[in-house]
Amino acid sequence: MPISAIAAADRAFALLVRGPDPLQLDGRDVPGLPRRRLTLDTVRDLLVGGVDTGVSDAVWRILSAHARADGPAWVVGAVGVAVPGLTLIASRLAHGFAKQADDIGSEVVAGFLQALRGDDLKGPRVWLRLCWTAWRTGHAARRTETTLELPHDLPVGSRTPRFPYGHPDLVLARAVTAGVITAEQAELIGATRLGGTLVDHLAAELDVSAPVIRMRRRRAEQTLAAAIHRGDLAVRANRARPR
């Protein structure tokens, strides 16, 4: 029986951090890490245990640079370091979609790799932005249900979809485009409500208290809810002009 993409990545990662020449980072290159050579599984343990945002950002920029320049082993190494977070994202997205769990996991990994290899990682909160891309691609796989058997009593014909027409990530993107909320507020809602990021972890990364994060999220959600209630985010259908 084939194993999931995330499990396969974790197995490959385990091989890379064993033996006489395991993949390593030099902790002296990142203030805040132990000042010695660190195997990537040690780096993963340190990140999971909690580090300052600046430390996390520096580590992920280094891993990304290696993945882009130094071959497949470093790609596997970077994904392996991310496995705990990717596992959480995939498990949250697969809840209620058990038949699509493998596809969701594969797309979560694919989205993460896309961001790792191609995104501009110069800004802050690198890990959250990598996870946000992974969540979006995984969520898209959850919406694709063409392989599932349709029920016999499925209604036919067209009907008007519910406002504001779209899945949560699209609603957030539309709200940002409309100027209802900021991109930062959308990322906060998406990461904590949809992406599996814990408020306490985010608060630690931003060096603020958890109540402050919850207050910011509540204000953003109230603004978003009011816009949805007013119909500000509804997609208007293009009416065909009479010929």
Side-chain angles (χ1 to χ4, degrees), residues 26-239:
D26 192 339
R28 291 168 294 186
D29 294 336
V30 182
L33 289 183
R35 297 182 59 78
R36 56 183 171 82
R37 302 288 296 181
L38 304 168
T39 58
L40 292 193
D41 56 334
T42 300
V43 173
R44 181 168 79 177
D45 290 342
L46 290 170
L47 294 178
V48 170
V51 296
D52 290 342
T53 305
V55 174
S56 173
D57 286 350
V59 167
W60 280 110
R61 290 190 190 105
I62 292 173
L63 290 173
S64 174
H66 279 301
R68 296 178 188 191
D70 297 329
W74 277 99
V75 174
V76 173
V79 174
V81 174
V83 158
L86 299 183
T87 300
L88 178 59
I89 292 171
S91 64
R92 293 285 181 87
L93 288 173
H95 182 69
F97 294 83
K99 293 183 179 180
Q100 296 169 272
D102 287 345
D103 290 339
I104 290 169
S106 295
E107 289 303 310
V108 165
V109 173
F112 180 83
L113 282 173
Q114 173 190 331
L116 187 76
R117 289 168 165 167
D119 282 10
D120 182 355
L121 303 182
K122 294 179 182 178
R125 293 187 290 171
V126 175
W127 171 243
L128 283 181
R129 288 187 282 129
L130 292 171
C131 287
W132 178 241
T133 302
W135 180 86
R136 286 201 310 267
T137 55
H139 195 276
R142 191 173 73 167
R143 297 198 302 263
T144 304
E145 302 185 43
T146 55
T147 59
L148 302 182
E149 183 178 354
L150 295 177
H152 296 296
D153 59 349
L154 182 71
V156 296
S158 62
R159 56 183 176 180
T160 304
R162 292 183 302 169
F163 287 92
Y165 308 160
H167 297 277
D169 54 338
L170 300 180
V171 174
L172 290 173
R174 192 176 302 129
V176 172
T177 300
V180 173
I181 58 175
T182 66
E184 186 177 47
Q185 288 173 319
E187 185 177 346
L188 170 60
I189 295 171
T192 58
R193 292 297 194 191
L194 308 170
T197 299
L198 298 178
V199 168
D200 289 340
H201 288 176
L202 181 58
E205 289 199 4
L206 298 179
D207 195 24
V208 297
S209 67
V212 168
I213 294 295
R214 292 190 177 93
M215 179 186 66
R216 292 176 182 174
R217 185 179 63 184
R218 182 169 63 252
R219 288 176 177 172
E221 288 176 337
Q222 288 173 344
T223 301
L224 180 61
I228 292 173
H229 180 73
R230 292 192 303 267
D232 292 349
L233 304 184
V235 176
R236 312 300 185 203
N238 292 325
R239 297 183 180 275

